[in-house]
Amino acid sequence: MDIELVAEGLLFPEGPIAMADGSVILTEIQGQRLSRITPDGKRETVAEVPGGPNGAAIGPDGAIYVTNNGGSFQFIDMGGLNVPGPTPPSHTGGSIQRVDLATGAVTTLYAECDGKALVGPNDLVFDRQGGFWFTDHGCSTPEGRKYGALYYARTDGSKITRWRDHFVSPNGVGLSPDEKTVYMADTSLGRLWSFDVAEPGVLEPTAGFAPGNVVCNLPGYQLLDSLAVEAGGKVCVATIINGGITTFDPDGSTEHFAVPDVIVTNICFGGAGMRDAWITASGTGKLYKARWPRPGLKLNFNG
């Protein structure tokens, strides 16, 4: 796969959104901001977002919705590689936020569900009805992990539902082209899950003990991060350690596209024929662009 460097010097980029004007809006988790990368590689601040802005997506009102992990990582410089480390003792939880693109105003929509604080919201995807699925990654503590979960919520702040919980480290989330399946990557397990959708915002009941369906477990020590879905239904998941993008067919078969960074965190699609792929290489603070072999799935509210 031929890739070109678009921008560098970013402070742990994530959550890329391909915009109609050719720019890319992304989060910088360590930089605590939402940034726009112009086609010539220049960076502009869209909004300051304190905490840990992680995933980002355009909602039905044209605003950008952000999963803010609340600053759940301490970053460690390992010889020029920026590595997310333990959760700082000051961390109290995260939230779902709305960013007005015109003004840069940031509004918090959700910080809890049923009286339980969100721990480290990570990624989100909108369905056709304008609601969104999102993951809570959980976080590390000196005593062990705080478990993560999969949620569905409305943009007006009126309803949030925890559909599955007690996952080790939920990360990327996406919808199949027909929106009958929610996909979720678990970082630490190197596992891609799928969940059957009964109706918009509602999952089918589980059968037996399993919380969902296992699409695939990657062999060896590979970690999964955020994801995007192709128009044909393959799921493209950013892969850490084995740096790059791993594509999963719903039947469980995979292929891997290497990227020169061991901490590749996300991918989004846009451009001509939805075949331009923008990839965040977070360990080195770079944004790459590649011509993908197949078209990506157009997201519901991306213009």
Side-chain angles (χ1 to χ4, degrees), residues 3 17 163 177-178 184 211 255 292:
I3 61 175
I17 304 170
W163 279 102
D178 62 8
M184 185 190 82
E255 59 183 327
W292 203 249

Side-chain angles (χ1 to χ4, degrees), residues 153-199:
R154 294 176 179 167
T155 58
D156 60 2
S158 66
K159 187 175 183 180
I160 178 173
T161 304
R162 184 186 304 107
W163 279 102
R164 299 285 189 274
D165 57 12
H166 283 80
F167 289 105
V168 178
S169 46
N171 201 309
V173 65
L175 284 163
S176 61
D178 62 8
E179 301 199 352
K180 293 181 179 180
T181 304
V182 177
Y183 291 104
M184 185 190 82
D186 190 301
T187 300
S188 300
L189 299 182
R191 175 180 296 168
L192 183 66
W193 291 95
S194 70
F195 307 91
D196 298 328
V197 177
E199 59 184 87

